[in-house]
Amino acid sequence: MSLRITSRHNPRLKQAAQLRDSRHRRATGQLLVDGARETLRALTAGVTPIEAFVDEASIGERTAAALAELERRGVTVFPVASDAFAKLAYGDRADGVVLVAEHPVRGLADLTLPPAPLIAVIEAVEKPGNLGAILRTADGAGVDAVIVADPRVDLFNPNAIRSSVGAVFRKEIAIATAAEARQWLQDRRLALFATRPEATITYSDADFTQGCAIVLGSEAYGLSPEWDAIATGVSLPMLGVADSLNVSAAAAVLLYEARRQRGTR
């Protein structure tokens, strides 16, 4: 480990804390990863580490494993007094490690698909918590790729990272414009399914066993109208007073229905 940090006003600590702002992430090409589990998943996914900070009073088993991996990779780790670490950590969910890393660049050209892939497309989702939850669900359901189209929130927003429990670092996630995503999907002759409240086909009657993409839109604006001409609409029955599900809940229903139809593998 490197020199101990005791002050909340330490310049290195303040510089790292600025990465909670998207402007600083864009300007520096860096991001923050909160948590030992998320740090390990980022490193496993190939994210390039820069430096790390550890709360010297919170080194449990998981934190020790993250520190061992950082040490193995030669990453500088700064021990931090707990009151100073609170300036950097995310809310009350910190478990003792914050990593500063290079911001990965992910595009459609980086995706490698198996035969008959299952793809999730997330268009213009506004809330980082919803984005992270969908990425976590996609990971759990064994989705082959996720396309984040026209994002209204930074993919590597600290809240998105944390709510995805590190699944955001999977290499099978790409960022693109919605127009690029539509062209890319059509070029691969994939069946497209878009969630629409008025659709006559319910989600359980759609054929998700073929190579396909499930497209979800923002809660505020829904999907852009350009999807209407190329995607089959599917609906989720709403039997109460609410007319729709939260987008992350809808994603969970649809992606796990696709997994059910395909079987576990």
Side-chain angles (χ1 to χ4, degrees), residues 18-27 154 157:
Q18 287 181 324
L19 294 173
R20 298 216 172 273
D21 188 312
S22 61
R23 292 172 298 174
H24 288 283
R25 293 195 295 274
R26 288 193 298 269
D154 182 2
N157 178 292

Side-chain angles (χ1 to χ4, degrees), residues 34-100:
D34 290 281
R37 173 178 53 188
E38 290 79 0
T39 292
L40 284 168
R41 289 178 179 170
L43 295 173
T44 300
V47 171
T48 301
I50 297 173
E51 61 188 13
F53 302 86
V54 58
D55 180 354
E56 56 190 5
S58 301
I59 302 179
E61 182 177 346
R62 184 180 287 169
T63 304
L67 292 176
E69 181 61 21
L70 289 166
E71 181 180 359
R72 188 184 74 79
R73 294 170 183 251
V75 180
T76 300
V77 178
F78 295 91
V80 183
S82 295
D83 59 341
F85 189 81
K87 176 181 179 62
L88 181 63
Y90 180 74
D92 59 357
R93 298 178 60 191
D95 58 359
V97 177
V98 174
L99 174 68
V100 178

